[in-house]
Amino acid sequence: MTSPLFLGIDTGGTYTDAVLYSESEGILASAKALTTRHDLAVGVAGAVETVLSEIGGATARIRLVSLSTTLATNALVEGQGGRAGLVMIGFSPEDLKRDGLAEALGSDPVIYLNGGHDVHGRETPLDLAPLEARLDELANDVAAVAIAGYFAVRNPAHEIAVRALIRERTALPVTCSHDLSSRLGGPRRALTTLLNARLISMVARLIDATSGYLGKRGITAPLMVVRGDGALISSDEALLRPIETILSGPAASLVGARHLTGLDNAVVSDIGGTTTDIAVLDGGHPRLDVEGATVGRYRTMVEAVAMHTFGLGGDSEVRLDEGGLDAGMTLGPRRLMPLSLAAHLWPQAVLPVLERQLRASYPGRQDGRFAVRTGLPDAMAAGLAPQEAALYDKLGLEPQPLDVVLSSTAQRATLDRLVSRGLVLISGFTPSDAMHVLGRQDQWNKQAARLGAEILARRKSGSGRAVADTPAMFAEQVSARLTRQSSEVVLSALMADQGMTGVDATTSTLIDRALSGTPGFVRFGVTLDRPLVALGASAPVHYPAIAAMLKVESFVPVHAGVANAVGAVVGQVRQTVTVFVTEPDEGRYAVNGGGERRMFKSRDDAFDCARQISTTEARAAAIRSGAESPVIELQEHIDMPLIEGLEKLIEARFSASASGRPRIASK
């Protein structure tokens, strides 16, 4: 009798991975394909078709498909996402200044409405007139809408009313803050909701592409998505709350690392094309950030793995600082399309340009750089300024050299704005290109990598010396810089986890002497208290040197390059619902949470109601998310001090968690 198969898929910024897994036989097949941003189904199909071809009759045996992705994480790190409108109920413009909300909002529109509730759920009347007056304009200006109401976690009625009006008058996707978090802190909840709205179209494209391909292939198994805490949710739930997929890929990699190595305690570093993600396995479980995941510049209210994400990867931008006597070099945080990959896809558009630039007497500022549309739907270009639209119209689906595209310095800022919207991708020299020059990678076009290295190597420092004498020497400089920066980010992440906020690994003299092995009467060293597990396609290339610099034992599992896809298929569904009980007036108890608000005269009755709502809603949420037979665990926290000899209820929290393996398709 053949055992059922689970298909795991991970869509990253550069690669899409697939694995076929059996609970009785382990990993049966794995494969990688390039992530195709213009049509994500192409990359998904490329990876999945390869694994299916290795196992006869695999399609009919697949009972579950699970998907993890770094697309949402990468979008926030790189400042990308669709244009979104923010509706704030009961807030003032001053609230935008808190928690980075104004910075995140940028030039996107915000509408303030009178309304909201107090901590006990009592309302201030809602005024919808300002929204009604701007709805037609909003429908043509943004791709989604975020709604945040004052104390909506205690009473969501106003958010629900605003959502109903927007859905009645427009076809825009709408996100309410009470659906994303039950925690207080209005501006940060608004920030989380805004980011969620920005990500809706991006995650929808991935889920639609994956489910569309699976349907054509005759795979009818349930489709699950990995959440940022490593748990699984159904694809329908992920479409409603795409923000929960931030750190999805890194969370899946932690689950995969534990499965592949069997280590209970380890530092896990996952290097991708865009980011390096670092987290800790403690006692066999990922450490969670209960305060909310931080990605890029933003701290959200999404409970996720305590992951530190840095804009450093195989496709990071190589930036030269030629102002000093010796040229400096920094990698990231922006991702570029490697020249070797661009030439692999469009050799006639890239190689002749690089050769022309190399023949010039002097290197130009834009040499070795190209721009190409990402191929996103035209709707994603809504709201472009005239100068942005004009530059966007000049670009196509094949790379064009920046020394031709940009006619003025001011246009560089315009191009950067198009990149931040996810509409345009820059191609240039990256660590992946350096590895091609050095012969440590060979999957793309080595000639383009070498030409790019030669172009950058002949740039001059402030002393008039060339940055490097040969392309190989320049590539070695890039490799050494990646080793050093990677060591610094590992230390930065772990020191932050231990509260060592006063030490900066990038500027500390002692850490510099330890990592560089500087000789002296006093010698310094630095290491870790547990092994370093390295994941990612390029981990075998980079991490031996990084582990040596940190003087730590390292593990690079056999399936390190597809650990995210492995983690996607071995995870569990888990949903938590929290219900609050407060005492707004003596002898009156308010129960808020799980979408309900009730009043009681008896404290015990209120507590019993809160227990019943939390467990019922948690079980229902887990089943909606695809759990087979969820198990309930209830935690209670009651803050009820004695005041003048009498018990006074400040707040009681009842949190029910429902967890279980996902349902699998019947034969």
Side-chain angles (χ1 to χ4, degrees):
M1 180 178 177
T2 56
S3 59
L5 298 180
F6 300 149
L7 172 62
I9 304 170
D10 175 70
T11 300
T14 303
Y15 285 110
T16 295
D17 305 332
V19 298
L20 274 178
Y21 175 82
S22 163
E23 289 185 332
S24 60
E25 302 170 74
I27 298 171
L28 301 177
S30 64
K32 305 180 83 65
L34 285 172
T35 295
T36 45
R37 295 197 177 198
H38 68 284
D39 184 354
L40 294 168
V42 175
V44 170
V48 175
E49 288 296 333
T50 301
V51 295
L52 292 179
S53 68
E54 295 185 25
I55 307 295
T59 302
R61 294 169 57 192
I62 293 174
R63 299 288 181 265
L64 178 74
V65 181
S66 193
L67 175 68
S68 69
T69 179
T70 60
L71 292 183
T73 308
N74 294 348
L76 296 189
V77 169
E78 298 180 69
Q80 297 180 359
R83 186 169 168 84
L86 176 61
V87 179
M88 298 189 73
I89 309 167
F91 293 96
S92 72
E94 285 296 309
D95 291 306
L96 283 184
K97 299 176 182 178
R98 295 169 54 193
D99 295 303
L101 183 54
E103 179 187 6
L105 186 66
S107 61
D108 289 2
V110 58
I111 299 172
Y112 299 96
L113 303 180
N114 289 329
H117 298 80
D118 66 13
V119 68
H120 303 294
R122 296 173 296 203
E123 76 165 1
T124 297
L126 174 64
D127 180 9
L128 292 171
L131 176 62
E132 291 173 328
R134 293 185 59 181
L135 264 182
D136 292 339
E137 169 195 345
L138 201 65
N140 297 316
D141 188 33
V142 301
V145 179
I147 305 169
Y150 203 72
F151 279 111
V153 295
R154 297 298 168 84
N155 189 336
H158 289 181
E159 287 192 351
I160 293 171
V162 170
R163 178 175 64 189
L165 176 61
I166 295 172
R167 286 178 173 174
E168 178 186 329
R169 294 268 301 272
T170 78
L172 293 171
V174 186
T175 301
C176 291
S177 75
H178 75 272
D179 287 329
L180 299 178
S181 177
S182 61
R183 296 174 55 200
L184 299 178
R188 186 145 67 95
R189 192 160 27 84
L191 168 69
T192 304
T193 311
L194 174 67
L195 297 177
N196 186 82
R198 288 224 177 109
L199 294 172
I200 286 174
S201 58
M202 180 179 297
V203 173
R205 286 180 61 239
L206 173 60
I207 291 175
D208 289 346
T210 303
S211 58
Y213 162 73
L214 294 174
K216 291 177 183 176
R217 203 61 173 78
I219 299 173
T220 58
L223 176 61
M224 308 294 290
V225 180
V226 180
R227 216 167 51 186
D229 60 357
L232 302 178
I233 54 175
S234 69
S235 58
D236 288 342
E237 293 294 303
L239 285 171
L240 296 174
R241 299 189 299 275
I243 190 69
E244 292 188 358
T245 71
I246 62 171
L247 300 180
S248 162
S253 74
L254 269 181
V255 177
R258 171 71 176 81
H259 185 82
L260 293 171
T261 66
L263 293 173
D264 286 336
N265 300 294
V267 175
V268 180
S269 183
D270 187 354
I271 182 170
T274 308
T275 62
T276 292
D277 305 309
I278 300 164
V280 175
L281 274 174
D282 224 2
H285 300 285
R287 293 187 59 199
L288 297 182
D289 186 348
V290 295
E291 291 300 314
T294 300
V295 181
R297 298 164 295 181
Y298 308 120
R299 177 174 280 279
T300 70
M301 278 190 169
V302 178
E303 184 173 291
V305 168
M307 183 76 66
H308 297 266
T309 299
F310 300 87
L312 178 66
D315 300 345
S316 288
E317 178 180 17
V318 176
R319 295 184 292 130
L320 295 178
D321 179 5
E322 301 147 82
L325 293 179
D326 295 314
M329 179 186 295
T330 305
L331 306 181
R334 185 166 67 170
R335 173 186 179 268
L336 304 184
M337 176 184 285
L339 290 173
S340 51
L341 174 55
H344 173 76
L345 298 173
W346 303 284
Q348 296 307 313
V350 175
L351 293 174
V353 172
L354 295 176
E355 291 169 344
R356 167 181 64 79
Q357 292 172 345
L358 200 52
R359 288 194 299 268
S361 301
Y362 301 98
R365 299 301 303 174
Q366 307 298 345
D367 284 1
R369 294 287 178 107
F370 298 79
V372 60
R373 285 192 184 191
T374 56
L376 292 179
D378 290 341
M380 296 295 291
L384 289 180
Q387 63 270 29
E388 294 168 349
L391 183 57
Y392 186 61
D393 289 341
K394 290 174 62 176
L395 301 175
L397 295 177
E398 287 194 359
Q400 298 185 45
L402 293 194
D403 64 356
V404 173
V405 170
L406 302 181
S407 56
S408 67
T409 303
Q411 282 191 314
R412 183 63 208 229
T414 304
L415 179 62
D416 287 342
R417 290 195 294 273
L418 293 175
V419 171
S420 72
R421 289 284 298 273
L423 298 171
V424 173
L425 189 60
I426 303 298
S427 176
F429 197 84
T430 69
S432 295
D433 293 310
M435 295 300 102
H436 278 75
V437 173
L438 298 173
R440 300 173 194 169
Q441 291 181 216
D442 61 1
Q443 68 268 42
W444 301 327
N445 190 298
K446 183 174 181 178
Q447 182 185 0
R450 187 171 183 84
L451 290 170
E454 194 168 353
I455 286 171
L456 290 178
R458 68 177 190 153
R459 300 265 284 268
K460 306 288 187 181
S461 67
S463 64
R465 294 193 301 269
V467 171
D469 293 335
T470 67
M473 288 178 63
F474 181 75
E476 287 286 6
Q477 291 177 12
V478 174
S479 177
R481 186 62 206 161
L482 181 66
T483 299
R484 177 58 183 261
Q485 274 188 236
S486 296
S487 299
E488 290 172 351
V489 300
V490 169
L491 294 176
S492 295
L494 299 180
M495 289 190 297
D497 271 357
Q498 294 202 303
M500 299 172 61
T501 55
V503 182
D504 185 343
T506 63
T507 60
S508 167
T509 301
L510 298 184
I511 290 179
D512 174 58
R513 291 176 70 89
L515 293 179
S516 60
T518 305
F521 294 120
V522 179
R523 295 189 179 183
F524 296 91
V526 62
T527 188
L528 313 181
D529 77 333
R530 60 195 67 201
L532 178 64
V533 176
L535 304 176
S538 62
V541 175
H542 299 300
Y543 267 78
I546 296 165
M549 181 171 281
L550 293 172
K551 299 178 177 61
V552 66
E553 182 183 15
S554 66
F555 292 82
V556 182
V558 173
H559 295 285
V562 293
N564 295 21
V566 173
V569 294
V570 298
Q572 287 200 335
V573 175
R574 184 174 64 256
Q575 288 287 351
T576 299
V577 171
T578 300
V579 177
F580 302 88
V581 179
T582 58
E583 188 177 5
D585 304 301
E586 186 173 350
R588 296 180 67 245
Y589 299 92
V591 178
N592 294 290
E596 298 196 37
R597 181 174 186 267
R598 300 183 189 178
M599 297 296 299
F600 292 88
K601 295 181 179 179
S602 164
R603 187 173 65 203
D604 290 342
D605 289 347
F607 284 3
D608 287 342
C609 178
R611 293 185 185 101
Q612 188 267 329
I613 292 174
S614 61
T615 54
T616 300
E617 292 300 319
R619 181 181 288 107
I623 291 172
R624 282 197 306 272
S625 291
E628 179 69 53
S629 301
V631 176
I632 305 295
E633 180 181 342
L634 180 64
Q635 293 185 333
E636 302 181 3
H637 178 81
I638 300 173
D639 185 4
M640 191 164 56
L642 282 174
I643 300 177
E644 296 181 352
L646 298 175
E647 290 182 330
K648 173 62 178 177
L649 177 64
I650 305 301
E651 180 182 82
R653 295 194 303 274
F654 298 84
S655 296
S657 294
S659 59
R661 280 290 288 162
R663 288 188 298 272
I664 64 174
S666 58
K667 294 183 181 179

